[in-house]
């Protein structure tokens, strides 16, 4: 297929080794073991992930958000039985705030080059970003670890306090509510929050700048009725049309040249996964 061939060329020209291996494993039948071996290189001795796995965090030290990136890769490979998961959960225990959630970013970020939005106080509280997304992945794959229970309690409590929200918080809440086992509670909270969640979504596929589109909230079909099929179809058409030079790029600030390439390779594989999840590839 022409789209895949063009994307392959783009990833070879721009992507990190891990994203080239992801493309091969997901779309060319190549080894998934090699992806896991590459991912292991980003994991530190404390079980966390760093080393610019999340391209906007350039430091070597572990941070909570790169664990979410690692879990996303493990999810696409259906590899949550890998020992990296338990080690990462042990790391999450070690950085969890007193309220039961992990912070958005740890103070150690100040010692490293990073994008300007990675800022925090001396004792940051737990945040739904990324606690809710992390918990969602673990629930999806039936992982049993002592971190998950308190983290889930934190998410329920924080979600209950939401009236208005932000796009990034909404993008963490949606997968948690979609994947958490307590479906009656999840559906009740979703019904309460649906309009607030939708208020963070950009529905114009051509909107410029750092917009958050429906497929950012639903990169694969959801159980929750957040978007109608006609909305999804319109944005799937736009996503396919947005392939440029074979790949897809981020619509946020590219604050140093290398991150444009690294995000481009990562997102190209991610966008292809979305198109395939909806039967467009």
């Amino acid at each position: 297929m022409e789209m895949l061939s063009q994307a392959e060329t783009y990833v070879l020209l721009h992507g990190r080794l891990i994203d080239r291996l992801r493309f091969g494993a997901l779309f060319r039948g190549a080894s998934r073991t090699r992806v896991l071996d590459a991912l292991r290189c980003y994991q530190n001795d404390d079980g966390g992930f760093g080393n610019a796995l999340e391209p906007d965090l350039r430091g070597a030290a572990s941070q909570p958000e790169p664990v979410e990136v690692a879990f996303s890769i493990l999810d696409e490979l259906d590899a949550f039985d890998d020992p990296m998961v338990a080690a990462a959960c042990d790391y999450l225990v070690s950085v969890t705030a007193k309220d039961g959630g992990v912070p958005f970013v740890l103070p150690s970020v100040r010692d490293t080059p990073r994008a300007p939005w990675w800022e925090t106080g001396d004792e940051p509280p737990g945040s739904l970003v990324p606690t809710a997304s992390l918990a969602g992945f673990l629930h999806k794959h039936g992982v049993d670890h002592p971190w998950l229970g308190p983290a889930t309690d934190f998410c329920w409590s924080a979600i209950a306090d939401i009236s208005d929200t932000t796009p990034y918080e909404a993008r963490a809440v949606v997968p948690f509510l979609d994947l958490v086992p307590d479906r009656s509670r999840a559906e009740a909270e979703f019904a309460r929050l649906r309009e607030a969640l939708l208020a963070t979504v950009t529905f114009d596929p051509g909107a410029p700048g750092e917009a958050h589109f429906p497929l950012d909230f639903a990169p694969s079909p959801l159980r929750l009725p957040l978007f109608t099929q006609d909305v999804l179809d319109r944005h799937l058409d736009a996503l396919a049309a947005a392939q440029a030079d074979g790949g897809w790029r981020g619509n946020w600030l590219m604050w140093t040249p290398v991150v444009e390439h690294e995000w481009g390779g990562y997102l190209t594989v991610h966008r292809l996964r979305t198109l395939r999840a909806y039967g467009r590839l």
Side-chain angles (χ1 to χ4, degrees), residues 3-4 6-8 10-12 14-16 18-20 22-23 26-27 52-56 65 68-69 72-73 76 117 168 171 209-213 215-217 219 239-240 242-244 246-254 258-276 281:
M3 178 180 287
L4 272 179
Q6 292 176 350
E8 185 170 27
Y10 178 87
V11 171
L12 289 172
H14 297 271
R16 304 173 292 182
I18 191 168
D19 297 318
R20 298 198 299 272
R22 290 172 62 223
F23 180 90
L26 294 171
F27 300 104
L53 180 61
E54 205 284 7
D56 289 323
E65 183 57 34
E68 182 183 1
V69 178
S72 178
I73 294 171
E76 71 189 17
W117 49 86
Y168 286 109
R171 287 173 60 174
E210 192 176 341
H212 299 258
F213 300 109
L215 295 174
D216 295 319
F217 296 80
L239 180 62
Q243 187 181 27
W248 286 264
R249 295 168 177 80
N251 60 355
W252 59 92
L253 174 67
M254 296 296 154
V258 70
V259 302
E260 184 170 7
H261 295 280
E262 293 188 354
W263 276 123
Y266 179 85
L267 287 172
T268 294
V269 179
H270 183 73
R271 302 306 187 203
L272 291 171
R273 287 180 58 209
T274 292
L275 290 168
R276 186 167 67 180
L281 190 63

Side-chain angles (χ1 to χ4, degrees), residues 148-258:
L148 184 55
T152 299
D153 291 341
F154 165 82
C155 291
W156 284 128
S157 178
I159 289 170
D161 287 339
I162 293 175
S163 53
D164 297 316
T165 187
T166 64
Y168 286 109
E169 185 176 74
R171 287 173 60 174
V173 168
V174 168
F176 176 82
L177 293 179
D178 199 55
L179 297 168
V180 69
D182 189 342
R183 298 314 304 153
S184 61
R185 189 173 184 180
E187 289 163 8
E189 285 290 10
F190 173 73
R192 183 181 69 84
L193 289 174
R194 186 173 186 271
E195 294 307 314
L197 296 171
L198 290 173
T200 70
V201 181
T202 298
F203 286 93
D204 175 6
E210 192 176 341
H212 299 258
F213 300 109
L215 295 174
D216 295 319
F217 296 80
S220 60
L222 299 171
R223 289 189 286 185
L224 298 171
L226 187 57
F227 303 112
T228 60
Q229 190 60 49
D230 64 310
V231 166
L232 292 170
D233 287 339
R234 185 165 67 253
H235 282 268
L236 287 163
D237 292 342
L239 180 62
Q243 187 181 27
D245 299 328
W248 286 264
R249 295 168 177 80
N251 60 355
W252 59 92
L253 174 67
M254 296 296 154
W255 56 280
T256 190
V258 70

Side-chain angles (χ1 to χ4, degrees), residues 31-88:
S31 169
R32 297 190 173 212
T33 300
R34 293 199 66 200
V35 185
L36 297 174
D37 289 342
L39 181 59
R40 248 179 280 281
C41 295
Y42 292 91
Q43 190 168 35
N44 292 315
D45 290 343
D46 61 8
F49 288 83
N51 306 292
L53 180 61
E54 205 284 7
D56 289 323
L57 290 167
R58 305 305 300 174
S62 299
Q63 288 284 345
E65 183 57 34
V67 179
E68 182 183 1
V69 178
F71 280 8
S72 178
I73 294 171
L74 291 161
D75 175 64
E76 71 189 17
L77 300 174
D78 194 21
F80 265 70
D81 57 347
D82 190 280
M84 282 186 282
V85 174

Side-chain angles (χ1 to χ4, degrees), residues 127-165:
S127 171
L128 284 168
V129 184
T131 306
S133 301
L134 295 168
F137 279 122
L138 295 172
H139 283 302
K140 177 181 179 180
H141 292 278
V143 174
D144 182 16
H145 189 277
W147 179 78
L148 184 55
T152 299
D153 291 341
F154 165 82
C155 291
W156 284 128
S157 178
I159 289 170
D161 287 339
I162 293 175
S163 53
D164 297 316
T165 187

